[in-house]
Amino acid sequence: ESYKARVEYDGGVVEGDFLYGSVSNSTSVAGIVHLRDDLVCLGDGLSELVLVRNPGSLAEFNNIVDGVLRQSYDNEDLMIFHTRKARFTFEKPVAWTRDGEAGGEYREIELCNYHCPIQLIF
C-alpha cells in the first residue's frame, strides 16, 4: 500500500505517493534497506531520511530497483536526505513502527535527532 504524504526535512519538502519512508541512523534498516558506509555517519547528529515513491510505470519501477541494486539514492523515485528533523503529514492515519515495534497510527509525526543531548563524565 502506498500513502500520500508531505515530508518536510532540513532544507526541503517532498510531496507524493510513497511506498516506503524511514528515518534512521544506521547502514541497515530491518535487513531490507542497506545504505553505503560513506552515506551514514553515526556521530554527525544527522539522521538518514529514505523515501521510495510509488512507481507509476515500469520505467519508474526499474529506476527504483536499479537504485537499490547500485545503492544509488539520488533520483526522484528513490531518495535519501541527511537531516536533523523530519515531519511527515498524511491524508489518513498511517501505522508506524519504532525499531520493529508497533508505534501507533498518526496523520502527522515529527522525528528529531538530538546530537549529544547527554554529557557523560568519566
Side-chain angles (χ1 to χ4, degrees):
E1 186 174 0
S2 64
Y3 301 93
K4 291 191 185 306
R6 174 184 171 93
V7 183
E8 301 168 59
Y9 62 95
D10 295 353
V13 175
V14 178
E15 295 187 54
D17 193 22
F18 297 99
L19 288 177
Y20 178 83
S22 70
V23 178
S24 66
N25 194 220
S26 174
T27 57
S28 177
V29 179
I32 299 169
V33 177
H34 297 280
L35 303 176
R36 296 188 322 262
D37 290 340
D38 65 318
L39 286 177
V40 179
C41 179
L42 301 179
D44 64 0
L46 300 174
S47 294
E48 283 65 47
L49 167 63
V50 177
L51 298 171
V52 179
R53 286 191 193 273
N54 188 15
S57 67
L58 184 57
E60 289 174 356
F61 176 76
N62 287 336
N63 197 26
I64 292 168
V65 171
D66 183 58
V68 169
L69 293 175
R70 290 186 305 112
Q71 293 186 325
S72 174
Y73 307 96
D74 57 356
N75 64 61
E76 289 191 17
D77 300 317
L78 179 62
M79 300 164 275
I80 183 170
F81 305 103
H82 304 282
T83 187
R84 292 188 194 314
K85 188 186 308 186
R87 177 186 213 91
F88 292 79
T89 306
F90 303 99
E91 290 183 343
K92 61 182 182 176
V94 173
W96 277 79
T97 62
R98 284 180 250 155
D99 200 22
E101 301 296 325
E105 291 188 357
Y106 301 91
R107 286 198 61 220
E108 188 173 297
I109 191 164
E110 184 172 311
L111 304 164
C112 299
N113 185 327
Y114 295 103
H115 189 231
C116 298
I118 300 172
Q119 290 186 354
L120 300 177
I121 302 171
F122 294 95

